[in-house]
Amino acid sequence: MKISIMLLLVAICTVGNAYFVPNVQCACQQIITEQECNNWNCQWTVVSPATATSKATGYCQQVACGELNQTQCLKESSRCYYQESTQQAAIVCFTLAKCEDIQLAAGATCQSSNPSCVPSNIPKPQCVAAGLSCKNLTTIEQCQPAKGQTLADEGLCYWNGSCKVVTQCGDITAKDQCELRQFQFACYWTGTKCSPTTCGQLSQENCKFVLQSPLTGAGILPCNLVGNNCVEATIGTLTQSTCSSNTNSHYRWVPIESGGICAQCNPYKYVYRNQCECQQLLQQAECQSSQNCKWAVTTGTTYACQALACADYLVQQQCAQVKGCYWNAAGTPQCTAYSNCTEIQGKNGQACVALSIFCPGSNGTTCLSQLSLQTCSQITTPLQPNVCYNSIGKDGYCTYEPANKACVNITSCSQLLTRQLCDQFSNSCIWKTGGAASCQVKTCSEYLTQSSCTYIQNNINNNILNICTWNPDTKKCSSFDNSFSYDVNSCFSSTGRTHHWSEPSNAQKGLCLPCHYSSVLNVKSNCSCSDLTNYTDCALSAPKCFWNAGTSACQNQKCSQLTSQTQCILSKYCYWSNSLGCQATGSSTVTCSQLSANTQQECLSQSIICAGISGGKCSSSPNSCGDFSTFYQCFGSVGTDGICQWNQTSSKCVGISTCNMINTQAQCELVLNTCYWDNTGNGTCSTYTCTSLYTQTKSCNFYLSNPNQNYNVKYCYLTNGACTEAPNLESLTSSNCYASTGGTARWKAGDNNGTCEVCYSQIISVLFIILSYMF
């Protein structure tokens, strides 16, 4: 995981008020100092006591459920439940694995033990989870008992002939319910009705924050006391004493050279690599809905989508998450451009990452890029868990393992041992209870409603956005597989800003296409299905091939079996029709000429064999870059003369033959397996080596030597933990022969257990692109 190739999502709630902050609370482990740690929910744990020559080391951790009283226990309903006891000194708060574990005392209800648990008689009288939605609760005892309240995943429930969720303060008709603790900062009783709380309604003692709505997960608006008046506040106006309390512990105070800033605890929100660049947004509406872009005049009366300048970002949490910008808190705070992390003053990593997420380290005086850092295991000497929990190493985000007393980089959800830490990675991990509660990988199927069915990140170390889509027939959320189903109004917003409308002027003719497809030169020698004689190689060739267990042979996949657009277009035997699904091709010439398009990407989103474009129709013969007369046709295309790049000076599309001729990061990162953006210095587009391939992608297989037809396939393999160039095919094995050659070679059984050899039967002399959807 490289912060150097990672953009962070500005996680500010944009509905209604730009001041709302994201609703993921700080984990106790993210608190750095002992003084800030000790409260009812967190406690400081000493790892090594102070000596005559060294300071004490320790870290902040969550208080165990067994140490909480009744009031505290009920506030921690996500992880604890209250159990009445007749013994004065007995434990009354227990860790919640499942609601069925609750044993009720006489007169108690499930909800009085834990508000997310409700009574059930199936298969026997017991407590069960309230679940996601109030509407699934069928009795008043489940929905709104006389003792306790029911809290479903979506929010507090109330009974009105059926069970409903409180979505707005006006849903509440009784004073006592309006004044419940759950609604303390969302609603207030006017004397006749329940109304939304504003900062002005809060007393001086309670002037901290208001919630946007009474729903669970509502946005938070900070408040500040000015004189005797409670008013709305921005994060930048909060002080060390109000930073945490006035954001409901979603922010923490970070000391920096000029004093300190109120900074977000949770830095694990990404703008993923496959989200659109400003210059790719051709529609004004798409551009204006992207918070990092502006629709502005380029020349004369011509408008285009352009990236915001650093000075355009007015708040710290936005500025710090834009590459090339940092929050300069000295004097009048402002967002300032930088070219090297060492230009930023920061005495520790926590301060630096608050100023710019792309500069997460410090040498004690100035900030450092991630590439300049140590690994997580080296980052603290002697080991200081509180520093480890709040650090980013060269190898990624760090976490402390108490059992091993070690600082390690986070590679899987299972390493996050508390729900608080798991929630920090909410796009890729989910905390699951039942049996042994643990942090597990999130999938689209975890979303149970249409409104929540948005996107996931399927790996902590892979900053690619995976779109989810709701099936109205099955009422289930699943992985997104067909961008053609979106129109010009939904394309950008409904795909997590990973797709854009392909036409700038006539929106009726365009298609919804991914912004970051993979421009890859197809290897010159490509194995056919019949070449692959073992199961492993055949499985890796999907979707074009499948292993026939009956005949023990690798065969071509039938188009009718490829049910998603993604699978279909990657098979040279098939093409995608939005009305008919995956169809078999005739001859390549006939198939391509039937497909309508205005750009190469529109053609390739229908069939991989159609890399050319002419007169609004696709073609099997690729164009030269000079054939593309507009920027939107040029950007991201591949011609017979190389990768296409738009020359701003001459307003012409030109072919480029080497990686270092590419001058933008967006273009460079399209040429996967050939070029990568090297962030050292001012940033350059560089050709891979086996070492840089492994450093950048954590993959050690193959790369192509040049982004044009005159390339060679370079084979890589892992040896002693290092990725090096394979001296020859004979050094590859049956397990890596096909993968490490990009499908150019196969394993052939024979003497001495077999050999790895090139597939010579399918020599391809022309250049085309593989359009790879990243979800």
Side-chain angles (χ1 to χ4, degrees):
M1 175 177 53
K2 290 292 175 185
I3 298 298
S4 57
I5 56 171
M6 184 182 296
L7 299 179
L8 287 165
L9 177 61
V10 182
I12 297 175
C13 182
T14 56
V15 280
N17 195 310
Y19 295 152
F20 284 105
V21 300
N23 201 8
V24 178
Q25 285 191 318
C26 303
C28 294
Q29 289 86 347
Q30 291 174 314
I31 298 174
I32 300 168
T33 67
E34 183 175 357
Q35 292 75 16
E36 292 176 326
C37 171
N38 290 321
N39 58 57
W40 70 270
N41 186 44
C42 304
Q43 65 184 5
W44 190 261
T45 299
V46 175
V47 174
S48 60
T51 67
T53 57
S54 64
K55 295 181 179 180
T57 64
Y59 65 103
C60 192
Q61 70 171 345
Q62 200 170 48
V63 174
C65 292
E67 298 178 38
L68 302 178
N69 60 35
Q70 179 181 2
T71 302
Q72 295 167 344
C73 187
L74 292 174
K75 288 176 66 176
E76 289 290 288
S77 60
S78 64
R79 66 184 180 99
C80 308
Y81 70 93
Y82 172 72
Q83 186 89 48
E84 291 187 14
S85 174
T86 56
Q87 301 178 30
Q88 186 174 0
I91 294 173
V92 297
C93 192
F94 299 87
T95 300
L96 177 69
K98 57 185 186 297
C99 293
E100 287 82 352
D101 293 336
I102 297 175
Q103 298 179 12
L104 298 178
T109 65
C110 295
Q111 290 92 329
S112 64
S113 292
N114 184 292
S116 63
C117 300
V118 299
S120 173
N121 290 318
I122 301 174
K124 61 180 181 179
Q126 61 183 337
C127 297
V128 298
L132 176 76
S133 177
C134 296
K135 68 180 180 182
N136 296 328
L137 306 176
T138 57
T139 67
I140 192 170
E141 290 78 15
Q142 288 183 325
C143 181
Q144 191 176 355
K147 187 176 181 181
Q149 296 89 38
T150 299
L151 188 66
D153 289 352
E154 63 182 348
L156 196 72
C157 304
Y158 73 101
W159 186 263
N160 185 12
S162 62
C163 197
K164 300 178 180 180
V165 65
V166 178
T167 60
Q168 57 187 348
C169 298
D171 293 336
I172 304 170
T173 57
K175 177 183 178 181
D176 57 345
Q177 191 174 29
C178 183
E179 294 177 345
L180 288 174
R181 177 180 56 81
Q182 286 91 341
F183 300 144
Q184 180 180 0
F185 293 100
C187 307
Y188 80 105
W189 187 255
T190 65
T192 57
K193 63 180 181 179
C194 195
S195 296
T197 298
T198 64
C199 291
Q201 260 89 49
L202 298 177
S203 65
Q204 294 185 23
E205 294 75 20
N206 289 330
C207 183
K208 299 182 184 299
F209 61 88
V210 296
L211 297 176
Q212 179 192 2
S213 78
L215 281 171
T216 298
I220 297 166
L221 174 62
C223 306
N224 241 346
L225 194 63
V226 178
N228 295 323
N229 299 318
C230 188
V231 299
E232 292 183 5
T234 62
I235 296 298
T237 62
L238 300 181
T239 65
Q240 184 171 4
S241 61
T242 60
C243 176
S244 176
S245 61
N246 291 30
T247 62
N248 195 24
S249 299
H250 292 72
Y251 279 60
R252 64 177 175 186
W253 187 255
V254 178
I256 60 175
E257 296 299 320
S258 57
I261 57 174
C262 189
Q264 190 176 342
C265 281
N266 178 10
Y268 313 117
K269 293 180 179 292
Y270 315 127
V271 167
Y272 299 84
R273 286 179 61 191
N274 55 332
Q275 287 193 317
C276 298
E277 305 289 336
C278 296
Q279 60 185 322
Q280 293 174 290
L281 304 179
L282 309 176
Q283 293 285 322
Q284 180 178 355
E286 290 182 343
C287 180
Q288 292 177 331
S289 64
S290 178
Q291 52 203 343
N292 294 328
C293 308
K294 60 182 177 182
W295 190 255
V297 172
T298 53
T299 55
T301 58
T302 303
Y303 281 76
C305 195
Q306 303 172 38
L308 293 174
C310 293
D312 294 327
Y313 296 98
L314 303 179
V315 294
Q316 173 265 336
Q317 61 266 37
Q318 289 181 317
C319 173
Q321 300 173 54
V322 178
K323 186 169 178 59
C325 303
Y326 80 100
W327 188 249
N328 187 346
T332 302
Q334 59 185 322
C335 193
T336 305
Y338 73 92
S339 58
N340 192 294
C341 289
T342 56
E343 299 171 32
I344 306 172
Q345 298 294 310
K347 60 185 179 182
N348 56 55
Q350 292 73 52
C352 287
V353 79
L355 301 176
S356 171
I357 187 64
F358 298 97
C359 302
S362 171
N363 59 14
T365 304
T366 62
C367 298
L368 300 173
S369 68
Q370 189 184 15
L371 292 176
S372 304
L373 302 181
Q374 297 175 308
T375 62
C376 290
S377 61
Q378 301 169 325
I379 214 160
T380 53
T381 305
L383 179 62
Q384 299 178 52
N386 61 320
V387 176
C388 174
Y389 273 120
N390 291 277
S391 290
I392 297 171
K394 182 182 293 185
D395 47 351
Y397 292 112
C398 305
T399 192
Y400 176 67
E401 291 183 345
N404 302 321
K405 296 184 178 179
C407 187
V408 298
N409 69 306
I410 301 172
T411 59
S412 66
C413 298
S414 60
Q415 291 175 266
L416 305 170
L417 304 180
T418 70
R419 178 163 186 163
Q420 281 187 325
L421 288 174
C422 186
D423 286 347
Q424 308 305 311
F425 295 88
S426 58
N427 291 334
S428 48
C429 305
I430 184 171
W431 187 262
K432 290 190 175 181
T433 56
S438 64
C439 190
Q440 301 178 25
V441 175
K442 178 180 281 189
T443 64
C444 288
S445 61
E446 310 290 353
Y447 296 121
L448 303 181
T449 65
Q450 185 172 358
S451 60
S452 65
C453 182
T454 52
Y455 62 86
I456 59 169
Q457 179 193 3
N458 66 352
N459 187 297
I460 288 175
N461 298 321
N462 179 3
N463 55 317
I464 298 297
L465 197 65
N466 295 263
I467 311 304
C468 303
T469 186
W470 183 256
N471 186 320
D473 297 323
T474 62
K475 301 292 191 298
K476 291 183 178 180
C477 186
S478 58
S479 296
F480 165 89
D481 62 7
N482 179 13
S483 65
F484 284 7
S485 61
Y486 295 110
D487 61 20
V488 66
N489 297 314
S490 60
C491 175
F492 185 61
S493 59
S494 296
T495 61
R497 301 175 178 176
T498 63
H499 287 59
H500 74 123
W501 198 251
S502 62
E503 295 293 321
S505 54
N506 191 339
Q508 300 304 314
K509 289 187 177 181
L511 298 172
C512 187
L513 299 182
C515 284
H516 283 237
Y517 42 82
S518 307
S519 296
V520 181
L521 308 180
N522 193 59
V523 290
K524 295 180 179 180
S525 175
N526 191 12
C527 300
S528 65
C529 296
S530 59
D531 287 329
L532 308 178
T533 57
N534 68 41
Y535 171 81
T536 301
D537 289 352
C538 187
L540 289 172
S541 70
K544 71 175 183 178
C545 309
F546 77 101
W547 186 257
N548 188 323
T551 61
S552 296
C554 193
Q555 298 180 358
N556 295 333
Q557 186 74 272
K558 293 181 180 179
C559 298
S560 59
Q561 295 174 303
L562 302 176
T563 56
S564 77
Q565 178 190 5
T566 309
Q567 294 176 328
C568 179
I569 63 175
L570 293 178
S571 172
K572 64 181 180 180
Y573 309 110
C574 312
Y575 73 95
W576 182 261
S577 165
N578 203 41
S579 58
L580 300 175
C582 196
Q583 300 293 302
T585 59
S587 68
S588 60
T589 302
V590 172
T591 296
C592 294
S593 64
Q594 292 175 335
L595 304 179
S596 298
N598 287 322
T599 68
Q600 186 184 69
Q601 291 76 43
E602 290 177 348
C603 289
L604 289 168
S605 65
Q606 298 170 81
S607 172
I608 194 175
I609 64 175
C610 304
I613 181 76
S614 177
K617 295 291 184 180
C618 300
S619 169
S620 57
S621 300
N623 304 76
S624 68
C625 293
D627 293 337
F628 303 124
S629 58
T630 63
F631 168 81
Y632 84 95
Q633 291 177 319
C634 177
F635 186 89
S637 295
V638 175
T640 53
D641 47 348
I643 303 296
C644 299
Q645 182 169 267
W646 187 253
N647 186 307
Q648 295 285 3
T649 304
S650 63
S651 295
K652 290 183 179 180
C653 189
V654 295
I656 55 179
S657 56
T658 62
C659 294
N660 60 17
M661 293 176 65
I662 300 175
N663 52 33
T664 68
Q665 183 173 355
Q667 183 98 48
C668 184
E669 290 184 345
L670 294 179
V671 195
L672 298 185
N673 289 92
T674 308
C675 308
Y676 74 99
W677 191 256
D678 186 350
N679 278 289
T680 57
N682 294 326
T684 57
C685 191
S686 303
T687 304
Y688 275 121
T689 63
C690 290
T691 300
S692 59
L693 178 72
Y694 190 59
T695 300
Q696 294 290 327
T697 68
K698 299 302 181 186
S699 175
C700 183
N701 44 38
F702 75 97
Y703 67 93
L704 307 180
S705 62
N706 290 301
N708 59 58
Q709 283 195 85
N710 300 316
Y711 64 85
N712 293 311
V713 181
K714 301 291 186 178
Y715 312 131
C716 305
Y717 74 122
L718 274 175
T719 174
N720 298 323
C723 185
T724 60
E725 190 166 328
N728 48 52
L729 286 178
E730 285 73 21
S731 62
L732 301 178
T733 67
S734 60
S735 62
N736 63 14
C737 173
Y738 186 81
S740 291
T741 62
T744 65
R746 52 83 181 263
W747 187 257
K748 184 177 181 181
D751 296 337
N752 299 320
N753 296 322
T755 57
C756 184
E757 64 177 35
V758 171
C759 299
Y760 291 102
S761 60
Q762 297 291 323
I763 303 298
I764 298 175
S765 60
V766 296
L767 182 68
F768 60 89
I769 304 172
I770 294 176
L771 180 67
S772 176
Y773 283 75
M774 294 182 175
F775 39 69

